[in-house]
Amino acid sequence: MIDIIHRVGIKAPVAKVYEALATVEGVAGWWTRETTGVSRPGGNIGVRFLRPNGEQMGGMTMDVVALDPNKAVRWRVSAGPEEWVGTDVTFDLSQAGEYTIVLFGHKNWREAVEFTAHCSMKWATFMLSLKELVETGRGRPSPQDIKVDDWN
Amino acid sequence: MIDIIHRVGIKAPVAKVYEALATVEGVAGWWTRETTGVSRPGGNIGVRFLRPNGEQMGGMTMDVVALDPNKAVRWRVSAGPEEWVGTDVTFDLSQAGEYTIVLFGHKNWREAVEFTAHCSMKWATFMLSLKELVETGRGRPSPQDIKVDDWN
């Protein structure tokens, strides 16, 4: 199985970082403004990505598998791009001095394809967006996200 | 073996992107200003990363394994952090409309450790730096690089 993993350090208390990951409002502040649903174990959240003209580019449903306060958030993808369905998205939190460390994983891809490499870049930009959101109050969720290539 | 892979699209002719990857001057414009050596097959390039006070944070030697004009650049790490030695750094170029696509790989890590996740984030920021350098003439090489966590 293929995993995307990223490490980011955020100068903020762990509770603030956890809130940005464990609530629909939080996720809407760094991933995509079009985030809906119920963030609790057994619930799911839906994310949609729009083009500047409002047309939908893509979307996914993430089943909320675990919410462990100030420690971990885990989702399983139940709908979306074929390569994503059945994969796991995980955020593990710890503290290092004045930083909250987020170990991000998008795990259990069936193979490493060009789309995996694209998603690895996009996740990195969204982790920078999460860091900005928590540190400054303003992230870069879609459609204000950083564009990395011809796909998005 | 564990691979970091990223995909970036740069609005520029492939020859300009290749030059930024295949020459010491090019690499100094997006990765680290402290780049030296000879970029030709059989040669090697050295990169160093400095703290704001000028103190050295780290460095590596990359043996130049292949320079395939407008197609690929491949390095093998011969000195540096223990986890890096023996790994391969690869850039494969192709064209998609007005974009040059860079498929980046840092391949053959022995295991996926927290440092791998850190390096995945840092490589993503350096790929954004490469894109900025080629598209605008100004990248963000170290020590002007984007900081991602408490390690760098």
Side-chain angles (χ1 to χ4, degrees):
Chain A
M1 291 292 202
I2 304 298
D3 297 344
I4 295 167
I5 56 173
H6 292 312
R7 182 184 195 272
V8 69
I10 300 174
K11 275 192 188 174
V14 65
K16 274 192 73 176
V17 179
Y18 179 75
E19 191 187 349
L21 297 168
T23 67
V24 167
E25 298 68 26
V27 174
W30 62 266
W31 195 14
T32 172
R33 296 206 183 286
E34 302 286 329
T35 302
T36 55
V38 176
S39 181
R40 64 162 181 249
N44 63 57
I45 62 178
V47 290
R48 295 193 313 145
F49 298 86
L50 305 182
R51 295 187 203 284
N53 65 7
E55 186 192 325
Q56 182 164 332
M57 192 164 28
M60 304 97 173
T61 303
M62 325 292 287
D63 293 347
V64 179
V65 175
L67 291 178
D68 191 357
N70 300 341
K71 291 200 178 147
V73 171
R74 292 169 199 279
W75 302 328
R76 175 156 295 167
V77 183
S78 57
E82 186 198 341
E83 298 91 335
W84 277 48
V85 174
T87 60
D88 296 292
V89 177
T90 63
F91 307 86
D92 288 285
L93 308 182
S94 61
Q95 286 187 271
E98 60 188 339
Y99 287 86
T100 295
I101 304 298
V102 181
L103 273 180
F104 165 84
H106 184 182
K107 298 182 171 177
N108 301 320
W109 288 66
R110 285 179 294 275
E111 53 181 342
V113 292
E114 210 163 316
F115 184 49
T116 320
H118 166 82
C119 292
S120 181
M121 271 302 293
K122 287 299 293 190
W123 278 123
T125 67
F126 288 122
M127 288 300 98
L128 293 176
S129 171
L130 169 68
K131 178 174 166 69
E132 281 177 39
L133 172 69
V134 177
E135 291 180 352
T136 73
R138 180 178 285 196
R140 295 192 55 167
S142 171
Q144 283 83 44
D145 52 330
I146 296 171
K147 302 303 179 186
V148 303
D149 59 22
D150 55 328
W151 291 345
N152 184 23
Chain B
M1 292 290 204
I2 304 297
D3 298 343
I4 295 167
I5 56 173
H6 292 313
R7 182 185 195 271
V8 68
I10 301 174
K11 276 193 187 174
V14 64
K16 274 192 73 176
V17 178
Y18 179 74
E19 191 187 349
L21 297 167
T23 66
V24 167
E25 298 70 25
V27 174
W30 62 266
W31 195 14
T32 172
R33 295 204 184 285
E34 301 286 328
T35 302
T36 54
V38 176
S39 180
R40 64 163 180 246
N44 63 57
I45 62 178
V47 290
R48 295 193 312 146
F49 298 85
L50 305 182
R51 295 187 204 281
N53 65 7
E55 185 191 327
Q56 183 164 331
M57 193 164 24
M60 304 98 174
T61 304
M62 326 292 286
D63 292 347
V64 179
V65 175
L67 291 178
D68 190 356
N70 300 341
K71 291 197 178 151
V73 171
R74 291 168 200 280
W75 302 328
R76 175 156 296 168
V77 182
S78 58
E82 186 199 341
E83 298 91 335
W84 277 48
V85 175
T87 60
D88 296 291
V89 177
T90 63
F91 307 86
D92 288 285
L93 308 182
S94 60
Q95 286 187 273
E98 60 188 340
Y99 287 85
T100 295
I101 304 299
V102 181
L103 274 179
F104 165 84
H106 184 183
K107 299 181 171 178
N108 302 319
W109 288 66
R110 284 179 295 276
E111 53 181 342
V113 292
E114 210 165 316
F115 184 49
T116 321
H118 166 82
C119 292
S120 182
M121 272 301 292
K122 287 299 293 191
W123 277 123
T125 67
F126 288 122
M127 288 300 98
L128 293 175
S129 171
L130 169 67
K131 179 174 165 70
E132 281 177 38
L133 171 68
V134 176
E135 291 181 351
T136 73
R138 179 178 288 195
R140 295 192 56 167
S142 170
Q144 283 84 44
D145 52 331
I146 296 170
K147 301 305 179 185
V148 304
D149 60 21
D150 55 328
W151 290 345
N152 185 23

